[in-house]
Amino acid sequence: MGQIVAVLGASHKPERYSNQAVRMLKDYGHSVIPVTPGRTVIEELPVVPNLDAIDQKVDTLTLYVGPERSAQMQDSILALKPGRVILNPGTESAALEQALTEAGIPWEHACTLVMLRTGQF
């Protein structure tokens, strides 16, 4: 059974890693929630504009936004209480990592695409 995975910073552009993650997560049988403002559908999936719009338990939150943007969303990330957070390359944030640790939310520096391809997701 797949996980419920929120992709923060999902893009509608197929060449973007966040879009590739949405597609690959879907291909691997996960329920994907693309999170980005200004779009209603990405890869045939309904999009939510922000984390506060998610009304279900999220197993994994995978980040595709830089530390400046995630800092603005830190309270929403913590309120979501995901089972874990994956900080993809370029999204690392010492402040967010500390806040996640203090909230008891596991996190890791990893690449969602590599994790899926190597069976480590």
Side-chain angles (χ1 to χ4, degrees), residues 13-72:
K13 298 177 183 174
E15 69 275 10
R16 295 288 185 102
Y17 291 125
S18 61
N19 181 279
Q20 293 173 35
V22 168
R23 287 186 313 219
M24 192 178 289
L25 285 160
K26 209 167 71 161
D27 289 347
Y28 278 71
H30 299 288
S31 297
V32 184
I33 305 169
V35 183
T36 194
R39 295 267 161 203
T40 56
V41 176
I42 291 177
E43 296 300 323
E44 301 175 3
L45 295 169
V47 174
V48 296
N50 55 55
L51 294 172
D52 299 326
I54 298 175
D55 59 0
Q56 58 188 309
K57 176 70 177 134
V58 170
D59 299 303
T60 299
L61 172 63
T62 184
L63 297 186
Y64 287 94
V65 296
E68 319 75 37
R69 299 247 329 267
S70 66
Q72 299 166 9

Side-chain angles (χ1 to χ4, degrees), residues 50-101:
N50 55 55
L51 294 172
D52 299 326
I54 298 175
D55 59 0
Q56 58 188 309
K57 176 70 177 134
V58 170
D59 299 303
T60 299
L61 172 63
T62 184
L63 297 186
Y64 287 94
V65 296
E68 319 75 37
R69 299 247 329 267
S70 66
Q72 299 166 9
M73 302 176 209
Q74 182 171 304
D75 290 344
S76 296
I77 292 169
L78 297 175
L80 185 64
K81 294 185 180 83
R84 69 173 169 168
V85 175
I86 298 171
L87 294 118
N88 288 277
T91 68
E92 300 88 350
S93 163
L96 178 58
E97 293 157 19
Q98 181 178 347
L100 290 167
T101 298

Side-chain angles (χ1 to χ4, degrees), residues 98-119:
Q98 181 178 347
L100 290 167
T101 298
E102 289 171 4
I105 299 171
W107 58 270
E108 59 188 303
H109 294 155
C111 173
T112 297
L113 301 173
V114 171
M115 291 176 77
L116 287 163
R117 288 187 186 116
T118 58

